[in-house]
Amino acid sequence: MALVNWLKRHFVVIAGLLTLGYLLLPNIVVTVFSFNKPKGRFNYQWQQFSTDAWKDPCGVADMCGSLSISLQIAFWATVGATVLGSMIAFALVRYRFRARGTVNSLIFLPMAMPEVVMAASLLTLFLNLGAQLGFWTILIAHIMFCLSFVVVAVKARVMSMDPRLEEAARDLYASPVQTFLRVTLPIAAPGIAAGAMLSFALSFDDFIITNFNAGSTVTFPMFVWGSAQRGTPVQINVIGTAMFLVAVLLVLASMVVGNRRNRQKA
């Protein structure tokens, strides 16, 4: 009876931990198999513990080259989408103009639209413009589909801002630029950072839109897909584990910074 009561009291926590464990299970499998030494071409069965792949993560031809391309595209797509998306979010919240409601609705289209539809549409656009498929077409495509996620994240933050803070800054003779840099931007920074991190993850991970508009350029997801047809080198697991660890460290760092700021305010 005591056990049943304890389970009832902690049901939500237990369910949350089980769900989190289920979501992290693929990452755990990838991490474990990054230390495997398979006998064949496919890294699907555990054979022998080895750190060879970690010692030589670029041991597979063209893998680090494709990784470098993906990181470059993700970085510049994040910069472009974050700058444009933040400006759009501020415009939608702060200004009244014709077709504002229509623009608000259209912002959600790339998020709701199947990726294959957007990929085919972008490919048609590039072909009609006579653009050569490659790095730049991928970058433009990534900025376009990441834009909506940044707008939604920043818009939610801007809508929750107290306008009296900016009014107080203007009352203290702050110029519009000073008000924006010292009041508005720091308050909107968490939303902008969230949109930027989401954009980077979506861009780096994308396969469908990239595959349609890549031409002869090979990104890391495309390399993984191609390798899966011939064999899966252990180095793929190494790169996946490293990216996961970097993401976890970034989240932990943001939590530490947030906690310090809350202590300082208290």
Side-chain angles (χ1 to χ4, degrees):
M1 190 66 181
L3 178 61
V4 174
N5 292 332
W6 185 87
L7 290 174
K8 288 181 179 179
R9 289 196 306 270
H10 299 87
F11 176 77
V12 175
V13 176
I14 295 172
L17 291 175
L18 290 175
T19 303
L20 182 62
Y22 177 76
L23 292 174
L24 292 177
L25 184 60
N27 301 93
I28 296 173
V29 173
V30 168
T31 302
V32 170
F33 275 81
S34 69
F35 295 96
N36 188 27
K37 188 175 183 180
K39 294 181 179 179
R41 294 179 301 167
F42 295 95
N43 187 25
Y44 295 154
Q45 292 183 346
W46 181 263
Q47 300 291 338
Q48 181 183 349
F49 179 85
S50 174
T51 58
D52 292 345
W54 283 93
K55 293 177 182 177
D56 188 17
C58 294
V60 180
D62 299 327
M63 190 183 73
C64 282
S66 64
L67 176 63
S68 175
I69 292 173
S70 285
L71 290 174
Q72 292 178 51
I73 292 173
F75 174 78
W76 290 114
T78 299
V79 172
T82 302
V83 172
L84 294 174
S86 298
M87 292 192 294
I88 293 172
F90 273 99
L92 290 174
V93 174
R94 297 295 179 83
Y95 299 97
R96 300 291 182 269
F97 52 89
R98 289 184 179 180
R100 178 171 172 267
T102 304
V103 173
N104 266 318
S105 301
L106 291 175
I107 287 296
F108 289 95
L109 272 182
M111 301 171 65
M113 185 186 303
E115 280 196 40
V116 67
V117 176
M118 188 173 184
S121 301
L122 287 168
L123 176 60
T124 303
L125 173 65
F126 291 138
L127 291 178
N128 286 332
L129 293 175
Q132 183 177 359
L133 300 180
F135 181 93
W136 293 106
T137 54
I138 298 173
L139 178 59
I140 293 170
H142 283 203
I143 291 175
M144 291 185 69
F145 81 80
C146 289
L147 194 62
S148 298
F149 295 91
V150 177
V151 172
V152 171
V154 178
K155 183 182 172 185
R157 183 66 179 178
V158 175
M159 289 179 67
S160 66
M161 290 173 56
D162 189 349
R164 291 176 296 182
L165 296 175
E166 295 170 301
E167 293 174 4
R170 288 192 291 268
D171 289 340
L172 294 172
Y173 303 103
S175 66
V177 175
Q178 289 176 322
T179 301
F180 178 77
L181 293 178
R182 297 189 178 186
V183 179
T184 307
L185 188 59
I187 297 175
I192 296 174
M197 292 178 66
L198 185 59
S199 295
F200 187 90
L202 290 170
S203 176
F204 182 84
D205 185 58
D206 182 76
F207 173 78
I208 298 176
I209 294 177
T210 303
N211 191 40
F212 271 72
N213 300 280
S216 59
T217 303
V218 179
T219 62
F220 185 68
M222 295 175 64
F223 177 86
V224 173
W225 180 81
S227 297
Q229 314 303 312
R230 306 181 301 271
T232 51
V234 184
Q235 283 82 354
I236 289 177
N237 296 63
V238 173
I239 299 299
T241 302
M243 294 297 295
F244 173 71
L245 293 177
V246 169
V248 171
L249 290 176
L250 287 175
V251 172
L252 292 177
S254 65
M255 291 175 63
V256 170
V257 172
N259 290 333
R260 287 183 178 177
R261 288 181 178 177
N262 291 333
R263 292 196 196 99
Q264 291 175 354
K265 290 179 181 178

